[in-house]
Amino acid sequence: MQEFIAFYDILGFKQLTENNTQALVNRSIEHIFRESQTAVCKNNLTDDPRRPGVVVPNFDFAEVNCMHISDSIVFWTTGGLTEQNFLNIVEACYTFNWRTQQSALPVRGCLVAGELEYHPFQIRNAQGVSFHNSSLYGKGVTNAYLLAESQDWAGSYIDKSALQAVSQNLQIIPTLIYDKKLVYYQVPLKGGKYSYELAFRTMGTLNDVGFYNSAKGIEANFRIPMNGQSFDDSVQRKLTNTIKLLDYFRIESQPEEAKDSKSVDGEPLQV
């Protein structure tokens, strides 16, 4: 069936498992669980009946499916390529994108429209041995995976296949841009290439202090898998490309008349 699908992968997952204790790996993955659950539940919380005083995501509000498979996170809709499904998964991706950048391991991803099949089942024998099928497959899943893997940063964007599915509504994309959830941006790709895409925003406008603090937070998250080891060229490039998106929305300290003349939706600022 044709659905909206977003595929994300965790950057530095191999280094995370090789360089750190199992306790830190577990805690880092739990943070990703927290952010994906919060994203599909639209930031709605409820009291945890098992732990007094603790709140957890409220799945009564969830309208997007989510599956974690090792270092991959997949979001998908149910019910076809409707405008409401598009808005639901955009909201989930936007939330997951900015929250992971600020408080979890770095991720990259892409939202597409395409074919998806998912028919899970389980077989268990008398000895308690199980066969689990959780296969999620189709051209849409493959396309989302390939487009996510081709990026050279911690970020995500909406592929043209998904945009085409809602193209009859001429206001849906301008409204999301106006609401500061999306922005047209030169997405960095592997091999030093760029592609002008509709990317998910991570911040509103930032002053110099906000930019510095946010950039240091992103760098700290990139360092978690390394456990004190130096970045290689690939990791450093991804970090730099990620921080450049923040700089796109930075308004430097300067006279008010100069600020008024600068558009934060213009060309990216130099880092």
Side-chain angles (χ1 to χ4, degrees):
M1 185 172 182
Q2 293 285 319
E3 298 289 351
F4 293 108
I5 309 151
F7 186 99
Y8 284 84
D9 72 300
I10 300 172
L11 299 179
F13 189 76
K14 178 175 179 288
Q15 290 83 355
L16 175 72
T17 57
E18 290 181 348
N19 298 337
N20 295 279
T21 65
Q22 191 60 47
L24 187 141
V25 173
N26 292 344
R27 186 164 63 252
S28 298
I29 298 302
E30 286 169 0
H31 290 170
I32 295 288
F33 289 159
R34 176 192 64 201
E35 305 309 348
S36 62
Q37 291 177 24
T38 300
V40 298
C41 295
K42 302 180 179 180
N43 294 299
N44 291 286
L45 302 175
T46 187
D47 293 330
D48 187 342
R50 300 167 301 176
R51 295 175 293 174
V54 176
V55 294
V56 294
N58 187 345
F59 277 85
D60 289 342
F61 293 89
E63 297 183 274
V64 173
N65 304 286
C66 181
M67 178 186 292
H68 287 247
I69 310 169
S70 186
D71 63 337
S72 302
I73 304 97
V74 186
F75 299 96
W76 76 96
T77 59
T78 303
L81 302 179
T82 67
E83 289 182 7
Q84 189 57 55
N85 273 344
F86 176 77
L87 291 173
N88 288 340
I89 198 168
V90 164
E91 183 68 28
C93 291
Y94 164 74
T95 301
F96 184 68
N97 188 72
W98 78 259
R99 285 182 64 95
T100 51
Q101 275 211 0
Q102 293 301 305
S103 59
L105 297 169
V107 301
R108 62 184 171 191
C110 190
L111 167 59
V112 309
E115 192 68 31
L116 175 146
E117 295 290 337
Y118 181 54
H119 308 289
F121 64 86
Q122 177 180 327
I123 302 170
R124 183 185 297 272
N125 67 14
Q127 291 73 41
V129 178
S130 300
F131 174 93
H132 297 266
N133 169 51
S134 298
S135 296
L136 189 73
Y137 59 93
K139 290 183 179 179
V141 180
T142 302
N143 189 35
Y145 163 76
L146 292 174
L147 291 174
E149 287 288 308
S150 70
Q151 297 171 58
D152 208 21
W153 68 342
S156 55
Y157 72 90
I158 304 178
D159 178 57
K160 294 175 179 60
S161 61
L163 299 176
Q164 173 104 27
V166 295
S167 60
Q168 290 186 345
N169 185 334
L170 300 180
Q171 293 302 313
I172 195 166
I173 299 305
T175 299
L176 289 167
I177 293 173
Y178 181 80
D179 289 342
K180 296 185 177 180
K181 295 180 179 178
L182 303 174
V183 63
Y184 281 106
Y185 187 75
Q186 288 187 335
V187 173
L189 307 177
K190 292 178 180 178
K193 300 178 181 179
Y194 292 85
S195 180
Y196 200 54
E197 305 288 354
L198 198 58
F200 288 98
R201 291 185 63 154
T202 56
M203 284 289 173
T205 53
L206 294 166
N207 59 22
D208 288 342
V209 174
F211 168 79
Y212 176 81
N213 290 335
S214 296
K216 294 300 289 184
I218 291 173
E219 180 182 3
N221 291 333
F222 265 80
R223 292 195 179 280
I224 292 172
M226 307 309 296
N227 193 19
Q229 296 186 22
S230 300
F231 292 157
D232 62 22
D233 290 343
S234 174
V235 176
Q236 183 62 57
R237 188 174 59 250
K238 288 180 176 64
L239 172 60
T240 299
N241 287 337
T242 302
I243 292 176
K244 280 183 177 180
L245 181 62
L246 285 183
D247 198 53
Y248 191 89
F249 304 110
R250 177 161 61 129
I251 300 177
E252 297 175 340
S253 301
Q254 54 187 297
E256 289 299 321
E257 60 271 18
K259 287 185 181 180
D260 293 341
S261 67
K262 179 185 289 186
S263 171
V264 296
D265 290 326
E267 292 298 317
L269 299 170
Q270 297 298 313
V271 175

